[in-house]
């Protein structure tokens, strides 16, 4: 099954949780916070302006992005948890 986002929505796969701190302390699953970054796996065609013209999104598939902790809607597809966000909920693109 695949998802095709509509309008200015993007589908993001969250990054893996950190299981250790930099000093080597192991963080249990129930104490770990949800990561606030991930990889874009699908991008909608863009929103429309008042004249009906489509505004292309700035994001592309494969971009690593930062987003708010409580942004978007979590969905589970094929055992994989994904996040559906509006493009405006994405705070930044992580450059490599």
């Amino acid at each position: 099954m695949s998802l095709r986002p509509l309008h200015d929505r993007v589908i993001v796969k969250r990054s893996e949780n950190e299981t250790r701190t930099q000093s080597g302390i192991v963080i249990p699953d129930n104490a770990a916070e949800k990561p606030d970054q991930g990889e874009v796996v699908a991008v909608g065609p863009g929103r429309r302006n008042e004249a009906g013209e489509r505004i292309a999104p700035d994001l592309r598939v494969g971009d690593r992005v930062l987003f708010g902790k409580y942004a978007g809607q979590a969905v589970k597809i094929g055992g994989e948890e994904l996040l559906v966000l509006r493009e405006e909920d994405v705070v930044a693109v992580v450059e490599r």
Side-chain angles (χ1 to χ4, degrees), residues 23-55:
S23 61
I25 298 172
V26 177
I27 302 172
D29 287 338
N30 58 355
E33 293 184 15
K34 290 184 177 180
D36 56 355
Q37 61 179 290
E39 181 179 349
V40 176
V41 294
V43 179
R47 63 183 174 89
R48 294 190 182 272
N49 63 14
E50 288 133 19
E53 300 163 344
R54 194 168 300 276
I55 300 171

Side-chain angles (χ1 to χ4, degrees), residues 59-75:
L59 299 173
R60 287 181 236 103
V61 173
D63 283 347
R64 293 201 49 81
V65 295
L66 296 175
F67 49 86
K69 287 198 184 288
Y70 303 107
Q73 176 69 39
V75 294

